[in-house]
Each structure stands twice: as structure tokens, then as C-alpha cells.
Amino acid sequence: MAVPVPVLENFSLLRGLPAETLSRLGERMTERTYARREVVIKKDESAHALCFLIEGRLQGVDFTVDGREVGLYFVDPGDYFGELSVIDGRPRPEFVIAVARSRVASLPRADARTLMFSTPGIAEGVTTRLAERLRLVSAHRTLLALPNPAQRVCAQLILMSMKAADGKIVIAHAPTHQEIAIMINTSRETVTRIFQVLQARGVLRREGNQFRVEDTRYLTDVAEGRVEPMKGS
């Protein structure tokens, strides 16, 4: 079944393309729904398509040699994923798993490559996205070297923060404690304890499906080792 143009207009990568182009792309796409914790993309499989998230939430993950799950990044509605293997033709570098019931649209690799390499705006969008992902990987590597879990939690929260339309700093699509735990190499219970301290101090405030960051300086002080929240500093 074709993906309707109004749905395609919500995808950040395709925004601004003519309606005729979107219609042709939609006719080439397929859509599938995934249950929570279902694997959307398997590591080491061949790249067959560029994928777009219509609704739900996904997480890129990998596993250590001893079987421990490691969280890499999130995919939110309107975003796309799988572009690296579409470009170089090599196997997928990680798993992508649904962390909520999700709808995914897929554009065949040949069509995706034609779109990428014939449309300057799309090419710029993809390369900019790859650069952002590389910067995040570098920042995450530095984060994992921090000596204690409180520092890593706060550093991860800073990485996930963004400025909202009202100028406030928020963490949209608030991750679960388990999702954060597998990103920073600690236990869910440890993340829960740290969140309890941060919320009790008024540093974070839950608003629906997001967190409002009320004290960015405190998060930075903890991340940089100037404050130890578990000691009530």
C-alpha cells in the first residue's frame, strides 16, 4: 500500500519536495507496524531500504561480546534511519528496536540512492545528519569515560536536551530509566536513584512526555565532577 503524501510531508528529510515527487516516492514505499521490543533492523543484514518513522519510537542498539545491551541513539517520528548502509552498501552496523509500538515506511535502496544523489537538498540533509551522528558518537565516547554513574547520567541528559519554542530547555520524548541505563553502562536502579535526587532538587520536572530542565548549571556541575548529587551537595 502506498504511503500518502500528507504522511511524507512530515518527514524532515523530504520536507520541501514537490507534491509530484512525494507522490512518486509514496507509491514506491511500503509501510509496516512493529510491536514494542520487536526488531526493525537486524545488525549485519543487507541494506534493502531507507526507513522513516511515522509514529512510535525506536532505539539503535548493539551488544557487547558478553551479551550486554548498549543503547546508541533514538529515532523519533518524522526522522529516518538506515542511511549509512544505503550509501555504502555494507551490512547494517547495529540493531534498531521498537521501544514503543511503531509504524515505519521503507523506500527501496535503489530509489533512496537516486533521491540522495540527484537532489542537492537531500544530499546536504543526509551528509549533515551523518556529521551530527559522528559528533554524538564522539561525545558519547567521552561520556562513557566519566568515572561515576551520576556524572554519566547528567552528561547524557545534557546531550539529549534541546531548546523549546518558549526558550526553555527540555528533554523531549522522555526516555525510560532502562533506556538511559543501557546508553551509559549502568543499572536501571542506579539511574532511578539519580533521577529521584534530580527531581527532588527541582533540577528536572516531568511535563507529560518530556522533562523540563530547570537547572542546566547543576547538571553541568555534576557531569564535570564539581557536585556529587547522591551526597546531597
Side-chain angles (χ1 to χ4, degrees):
M1 182 177 68
V3 178
V5 169
V7 172
L8 301 185
E9 289 174 337
N10 292 322
F11 297 148
S12 58
L13 183 64
L14 306 182
R15 199 167 293 138
L17 290 178
E20 314 85 74
T21 302
L22 291 176
S23 180
R24 288 197 300 270
L25 291 174
E27 290 173 357
R28 298 289 296 159
M29 287 182 170
T30 57
E31 181 185 324
R32 179 178 167 183
T33 299
Y34 294 85
R36 183 177 181 275
R37 298 305 298 171
E38 188 174 357
V39 176
V40 179
I41 283 179
K42 294 181 180 179
K43 181 178 179 178
D44 294 332
E45 73 176 1
S46 299
H48 300 299
L50 178 66
C51 302
F52 299 81
L53 182 60
I54 300 172
E55 65 179 43
R57 200 175 201 212
L58 311 174
Q59 186 174 27
V61 302
D62 205 348
F63 293 86
T64 61
V65 293
D66 61 356
R68 180 171 49 82
E69 187 177 12
V70 179
L72 303 174
Y73 58 85
F74 291 102
V75 181
D76 293 311
D79 205 353
Y80 62 96
F81 57 101
E83 70 276 13
L84 186 61
S85 293
V86 168
I87 292 171
D88 64 14
R90 298 178 63 183
R92 307 285 194 182
E94 70 267 329
F95 295 90
V96 176
I97 296 174
V99 296
R101 185 178 182 276
S102 301
R103 291 170 58 206
V104 174
S106 300
L107 179 66
R109 180 172 182 261
D111 297 286
R113 286 176 60 81
T114 297
L115 178 67
M116 287 179 185
F117 299 130
S118 66
T119 312
I122 299 295
E124 181 179 5
V126 172
T127 53
T128 299
R129 162 65 173 275
L130 289 174
E132 291 173 353
R133 182 67 56 80
L134 185 59
R135 290 179 184 276
L136 283 174
V137 168
S138 178
H140 193 248
R141 184 184 301 117
T142 301
L143 179 157
L144 290 175
L146 294 173
N148 71 63
Q151 286 181 273
R152 297 198 295 276
V153 167
C154 290
Q156 183 64 51
L157 293 176
I158 291 170
L159 284 179
M160 300 174 76
S161 299
M162 59 182 291
K163 184 175 287 188
D166 61 3
K168 299 293 185 179
I169 304 300
V170 301
I171 299 169
H173 308 290
T176 67
H177 295 176
Q178 178 61 26
E179 289 166 359
I180 291 180
I182 65 173
M183 297 185 82
I184 65 168
N185 191 27
T186 192
S187 68
R188 179 188 59 78
E189 292 78 10
T190 297
V191 173
T192 297
R193 289 196 298 272
I194 296 168
F195 262 73
Q196 288 171 344
V197 172
L198 294 175
Q199 290 179 280
R201 293 185 62 93
V203 177
L204 294 179
R205 181 158 57 89
R206 185 75 183 241
E207 292 185 344
N209 194 38
Q210 71 176 17
F211 284 108
R212 185 179 292 273
V213 181
E214 303 287 4
D215 193 343
T216 303
R217 171 177 282 186
Y218 187 82
L219 288 182
T220 302
D221 284 344
V222 174
E224 295 180 358
R226 291 189 291 272
V227 170
E228 172 50 74
M230 304 309 288
K231 293 181 179 178
S233 301

